[in-house]
């Protein structure tokens, strides 16, 4: 039999162990995540990455490929027209959309989708990875000014009433079903479309957004999905390889209000060259990618 003090010691160790496990899985705070997005937006604007606190020196992805932060979009300054961010306190990650313009003859306008990840110990001051989908002149349906015009009019305020916020499960399901529409004929009808929802794909605008939907047809599932889910904003962003139409890097962000899809934003990273303006390639022109 264990003595009383041994039992106490065992109990104390168990309590300490549980406490340390709890702290390892502590959620990141919304404030911390959004502070990191602010420093990212400032870096993007200035074209300087040295103010970002990074876990390692080479942790960036641009359009689904490992990239050197000193050579990617963060190496040039950008006049910013709009920036919005969402926070995922469970995954310890954030999503930021930036619309920017050219600052001179050497630079380009961009619409970028960025997911920033931190280690799950709750420390948002250090950035573990920056994952950027960057659309620019020549990308599918690209027109930064037009995109800005549509998105500026949208309301992305936080959903104040907790009971009205969509669940994490619903948001994940909607994000997945959206990307499954090209391979699963039933996916489109499984999505709760709002009657006056708006879809902005590149600079292409569709309202209501539940019209002209793909219903299967491709055998290649859109893969490499990375999620940022924010119940407070009612949003899910999924970065992926759009394999159904030929491995395009892209981002789909969806906002759900009152249980229904309200907004969809698609940012297409650079498209495979053969698709640009190619109306004979049916894999490019199918369904939502009609030109
Ligand atoms: C970062 O990664 C890129 C792509 O893999 C590589 O070309 C570059 O040399 C790396 N930079 C550093 C500083 O390691
Ligand atoms: C980003 O957006 C916020 C909120 O609209 C704004 O206050 C801030 O000035 C923007 N940052 C830049 C660098 O434009
Ligand atoms: C358009 O796509 C078709 C089918 O994939 C291909 O055969 C053709 O070469 C492409 N045309 C151009 C101009 O890229």
């Amino acid at each position: 039999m264990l003595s009383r003090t041994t039992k106490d010691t065992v109990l104390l160790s168990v309590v300490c162990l549980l406490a340390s496990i709890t702290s390892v899985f502590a959620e990141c705070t919304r404030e911390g995540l959004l502070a990191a997005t602010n420093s990212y937006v400032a870096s993007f604007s200035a074209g300087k990455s040295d103010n970002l606190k990074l876990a390692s020196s080479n942790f960036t992805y641009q359009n689904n490929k490992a990239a050197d932060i000193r050579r990617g979009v963060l190496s040039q300054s950008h006049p910013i027209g709009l920036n919005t961010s969402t926070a995922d306190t469970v995954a310890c990650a954030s999503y930021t959309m930036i619309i920017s313009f050219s600052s001179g003859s050497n630079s380009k306008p961009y619409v970028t989708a960025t997911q920033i990840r931190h280690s799950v110990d709750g420390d948002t001051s250090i950035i573990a990875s920056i994952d950027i989908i960057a659309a620019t002149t020549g990308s599918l349906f690209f027109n930064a000014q037009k995109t800005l015009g549509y998105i500026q009019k949208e309301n992305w305020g936080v959903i104040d009433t907790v009971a009205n916020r969509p669940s994490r499960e619903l948001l994940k399901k909607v994000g997945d079903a959206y990307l499954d529409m090209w391979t699963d004929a039933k996916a489109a009808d499984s999505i709760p479309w709002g009657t006056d929802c708006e879809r902005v794909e590149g600079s292409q605008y569709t309202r209501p957004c539940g019209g002209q939907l793909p219903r299967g047809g491709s055998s290649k599932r859109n893969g490499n999905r990375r999620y940022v889910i924010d119940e407070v904003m009612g949003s899910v962003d999924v970065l992926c390889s759009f394999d159904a139409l030929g491995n395009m890097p892209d981002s789909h962000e969806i906002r759900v209000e009152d249980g229904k899809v309200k907004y969809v934003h698609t940012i297409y990273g650079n498209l495979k060259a053969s698709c640009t303006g190619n109306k004979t390639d049916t894999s490019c022109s199918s369904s939502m990618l009609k030109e």
Side-chain angles (χ1 to χ4, degrees):
M1 251 189 68
L2 294 176
S3 71
R4 175 82 201 225
T5 44
T6 314
K7 272 189 198 158
D8 282 351
T9 312
V10 170
L11 185 64
L12 187 66
S13 321
V14 170
V15 169
C16 289
L17 183 68
L18 284 176
S20 71
I21 289 172
T22 312
S23 83
V24 166
F25 293 103
E27 289 199 353
C28 294
T29 65
R30 187 166 191 85
E31 293 67 34
L33 292 167
L34 294 177
T37 67
N38 284 343
S39 67
Y40 172 74
V41 173
S43 293
F44 191 95
S45 166
K48 286 203 174 91
S49 53
D50 30 329
N51 67 328
L52 295 173
K53 276 179 79 186
L54 317 167
S56 83
S57 64
N58 208 9
F59 59 91
T60 319
Y61 298 87
Q62 191 166 314
N63 290 340
N64 291 349
K65 294 202 177 89
D68 187 337
I69 192 166
R70 292 157 307 170
R71 299 205 171 79
V73 282
L74 283 170
S75 65
Q76 263 181 348
S77 65
H78 309 271
I80 293 181
L82 177 141
N83 74 90
T84 60
S85 295
T86 63
D88 186 332
T89 53
V90 175
C92 208
S94 62
Y95 170 71
T96 300
M97 177 191 208
I98 301 177
I99 302 179
S100 65
F101 298 98
S102 86
S103 59
S105 53
N106 279 334
S107 72
K108 290 176 170 176
Y110 281 98
V111 177
T112 56
T114 302
Q115 290 187 355
I116 292 176
R117 283 179 201 278
H118 306 268
S119 67
V120 285
D121 65 2
D123 182 0
T124 49
S125 72
I126 312 261
I127 294 173
S129 73
I130 300 183
D131 193 347
I132 306 169
I133 301 297
T136 186
T137 312
S139 301
L140 189 67
F141 307 141
F142 184 81
N143 182 327
Q145 196 68 55
K146 253 174 106 177
T147 304
L148 177 67
Y150 294 129
I151 291 182
Q152 255 173 349
K153 293 198 195 99
E154 299 177 350
N155 175 12
W156 278 80
V158 301
I159 301 175
D160 286 321
T161 315
V162 175
N164 288 349
R165 291 177 187 161
S167 68
R168 220 178 149 74
E169 293 66 35
L170 175 70
L171 290 167
K172 166 96 171 18
K173 224 174 112 191
V174 168
D176 277 330
Y178 200 94
L179 289 176
D180 288 341
M181 289 195 295
W182 284 263
T183 44
D184 175 357
K186 296 195 185 115
D189 294 330
S190 77
I191 297 171
W193 303 104
T195 45
D196 67 343
C197 62
E198 301 170 43
R199 205 164 84 205
V200 182
E201 297 166 86
S203 64
Q204 227 184 32
Y205 179 81
T206 308
R207 181 180 185 177
C209 70
Q212 291 179 288
L213 301 169
R215 286 190 161 73
S218 173
S219 59
K220 286 195 199 124
R221 182 179 181 271
N222 294 318
N224 190 17
R225 301 179 187 186
R226 292 94 82 196
Y227 306 84
V228 169
I229 298 175
D230 182 347
E231 299 99 310
V232 175
M233 292 285 274
S235 74
V236 54
D237 175 70
V238 194
L239 304 187
C240 74
S241 301
F242 210 90
D243 297 314
L245 302 176
N247 189 15
M248 261 195 286
D250 83 1
S251 165
H252 287 85
E253 182 186 28
I254 300 169
R255 165 143 159 140
V256 172
E257 284 178 9
D258 300 323
K260 301 234 171 7
V261 173
K262 174 65 179 170
Y263 300 121
V264 177
H265 297 157
T266 304
I267 297 173
Y268 299 107
N270 290 331
L271 185 62
K272 62 175 181 175
S274 70
C275 279
T276 312
N278 186 342
K279 296 196 174 61
T280 62
D281 185 336
T282 52
S283 76
C284 302
S285 60
S286 69
S287 308
M288 273 204 232
L289 288 176
K290 262 185 256 163
E291 270 185 274

